[in-house]
């Protein structure tokens, strides 16, 4: 009887020690990344155990988070966010200068003025850090916002040709303006370069920047009763490809001093939109009207 009680006590103590180890690791992870950014796999890595072991003590991440009694950790501390941003900026510089394969985590740590251990507190691997650079560049978020700008609600309710034309012009203009940011250009150049010989990065580019944005555009076009999303997807892909081709020629490949010199972004956006909407005839007509208006102003 006494032996049984002692054994149960030891089991309960080991159980409690295990929970405390998990909570200690969770505290580190939630402090660095917040509730949304932290993962059970990462907490398990810090605790030195398998994710399955954690699930024996906590049924999910939310329960583990609540067990800490620190609701303020749901959002990372300002200093943590600043450090994360510092790491991402250092990583972008290193990846841009040396490429993904040749860059080491040690080099990124030196550029960021941090220890390698501090880097791994935020990013489990170099691949995760590279993806973090891509996401942090705000290329995706800016593109997503371009589909949901101030007039989005109105466009969903009104399907006149005039509103549709304004939607396309503003969409193209938003896309082109994203790439006026030198950091966005560096990220895009890096991604395109690395995706040529890394299938994982190529998949990210295709899924997020090509299929993802084209799908969002197709959904918006469907709001104008132009057809079903599946029918509009090929057209949306052509629109995205046309915009990207302009960015490639005028921003990525052009020397810095020549960027936006030959054609202002707003003017280019209007011309691309009209070409897509009305074809070559509509584009030429727009050029004629603009030319006549210009002559009248001079007179």
């Amino acid at each position: 009887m006494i032996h049984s009680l002692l054994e149960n006590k030891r089991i309960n103590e080991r159980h409690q020690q295990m929970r405390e180890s998990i909570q200690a690791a969770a505290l580190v992870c939630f402090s660095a990344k917040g509730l949304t950014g932290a993962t059970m796999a990462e907490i398990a890595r810090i605790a030195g155990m398998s994710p399955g072991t954690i699930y024996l003590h906590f049924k999910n991440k939310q329960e583990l988070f609540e067990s800490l009694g620190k609701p303020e950790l749901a959002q990372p501390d300002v200093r943590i966010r600043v450090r994360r941003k510092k790491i991402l900026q250092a990583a972008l510089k290193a990846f841009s200068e040396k490429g993904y394969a040749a860059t080491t985590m040690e080099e990124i740590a030196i550029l960021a003025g941090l220890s390698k251990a501090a880097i791994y507190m935020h990013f489990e691997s170099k691949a995760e850090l590279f993806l973090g650079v891509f996401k942090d560049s705000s290329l995706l978020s800016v593109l997503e916002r371009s589909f949901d700008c101030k007039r989005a609600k109105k466009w969903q309710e009104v399907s006149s040709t005039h509103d549709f034309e304004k939607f396309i012009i503003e969409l193209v203009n938003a896309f082109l303006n994203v790439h006026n940011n030198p950091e966005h250009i560096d990220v895009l150049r890096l991604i395109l370069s690395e995706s040529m010989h890394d299938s994982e990065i190529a998949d990210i580019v295709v899924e997020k920047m090509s299929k993802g944005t084209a799908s969002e555009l197709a959904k918006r076009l469907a709001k104008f009763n132009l057809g079903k999303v599946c029918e509009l997807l090929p057209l949306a892909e052509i629109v995205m490809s046309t915009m990207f081709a302009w960015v490639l020629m005028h921003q990525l490949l052009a020397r810095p001093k020549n960027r936006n010199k030959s054609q202002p972004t707003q003017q280019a956006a209007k011309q691309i939109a009209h070409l897509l909407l009305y074809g070559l005839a509509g584009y030429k007509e727009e050029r004629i009207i603009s030319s006549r208006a210009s002559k009248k102003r001079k007179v």
Side-chain angles (χ1 to χ4, degrees):
M1 181 72 177
I2 296 175
H3 176 75
S4 178
L5 289 173
L6 290 174
E7 183 63 24
N8 287 337
K9 182 180 179 181
R10 283 195 293 268
I11 292 173
N12 289 334
E13 287 176 349
R14 286 199 298 269
H15 180 83
Q16 184 60 32
Q17 288 172 356
M18 189 71 75
R19 281 181 61 92
E20 290 174 357
S21 296
I22 294 169
Q23 288 174 316
L27 180 61
V28 172
C29 199
F30 287 132
S31 296
K33 294 191 171 184
L35 177 59
T36 303
T39 66
M40 294 292 264
E42 190 168 15
I43 293 170
R45 180 178 61 82
I46 296 171
M49 61 185 69
S50 69
T53 302
I54 294 182
Y55 284 113
L56 291 175
H57 297 268
F58 302 93
K59 65 180 180 180
N60 53 42
K61 185 172 70 171
Q62 184 66 40
E63 182 182 286
L64 174 54
F65 177 78
E66 290 174 356
S67 75
L68 300 177
K70 293 181 177 292
E72 68 275 10
L73 295 181
Q75 295 296 327
D77 184 85
V78 173
R79 290 171 297 177
I80 298 297
R81 293 199 297 269
V82 169
R83 179 184 291 181
R84 179 183 171 87
K85 181 67 176 179
K86 197 174 183 180
I87 293 170
L88 290 169
Q89 290 174 336
L92 173 58
K93 179 176 174 61
F95 288 142
S96 298
E97 292 178 352
K98 299 187 66 176
Y100 175 78
T103 299
T104 66
M105 294 292 268
E106 289 88 348
E107 290 169 332
I108 294 171
I110 292 171
L111 281 174
L114 300 168
S115 67
K116 193 168 73 168
I119 303 292
Y120 280 112
M121 283 294 299
H122 294 269
F123 301 96
E124 186 174 347
S125 64
K126 187 168 71 169
E128 184 183 327
L129 178 52
F130 186 90
L131 183 57
V133 170
F134 177 47
K135 290 179 177 178
D136 185 71
S137 70
S138 70
L139 269 172
L140 293 179
S141 61
V142 174
L143 291 178
E144 287 166 358
R145 286 200 301 273
S146 70
F147 296 112
D148 192 28
C149 48
K150 294 178 181 178
R151 296 190 180 90
K153 187 174 181 180
K154 178 182 176 182
W155 285 328
Q156 290 178 9
E157 297 170 351
V158 182
S159 57
S160 68
T161 303
H162 180 64
D163 285 322
F164 179 57
E165 180 179 321
K166 288 171 67 177
F167 166 70
I168 293 296
I169 291 175
E170 187 162 341
L171 170 66
V172 177
N173 192 46
F175 183 92
L176 300 188
N177 275 321
V178 167
H179 301 90
N180 282 334
N181 186 326
E183 181 180 312
H184 292 171
I185 291 294
D186 289 341
V187 172
L188 195 54
R189 184 181 290 109
L190 172 63
I191 289 169
L192 291 177
S193 172
E194 295 299 328
S195 64
M196 296 300 291
H197 51 79
D198 190 311
S199 59
E200 184 179 352
I201 296 172
D203 289 343
I204 293 171
V205 174
V206 171
E207 288 299 322
K208 297 290 187 181
M209 294 190 67
S210 179
K211 291 184 179 180
T213 50
S215 177
E216 285 300 316
L217 176 56
K219 291 175 185 176
R220 291 295 181 189
L221 294 177
K223 297 292 184 181
F224 290 90
N225 299 317
L226 297 174
K228 297 179 180 178
V229 173
C230 59
E231 297 170 341
L232 294 168
L233 190 56
L235 173 63
E237 289 176 346
I238 291 173
V239 173
M240 298 305 299
S241 297
T242 302
M243 293 191 291
F244 182 76
W246 190 92
V247 171
L248 180 66
M249 294 300 298
H250 292 268
Q251 300 286 54
L252 265 73
L253 299 180
R255 295 179 181 275
K257 65 178 181 179
N258 295 327
R259 288 174 187 165
N260 292 330
K261 294 296 183 182
S262 60
Q263 196 177 37
T265 303
Q266 190 171 5
Q267 180 186 350
K270 189 174 182 180
Q271 291 177 348
I272 291 172
H274 278 221
L275 183 60
L276 292 166
L277 287 168
Y278 310 118
L280 185 58
Y283 173 79
K284 290 173 66 177
E285 182 178 346
E286 172 65 23
R287 295 280 288 181
I288 292 171
I289 292 173
S290 297
S291 177
R292 287 174 179 170
S294 177
K295 288 179 180 178
K296 286 182 179 180
R297 285 195 295 271
K298 289 180 180 179
V299 172

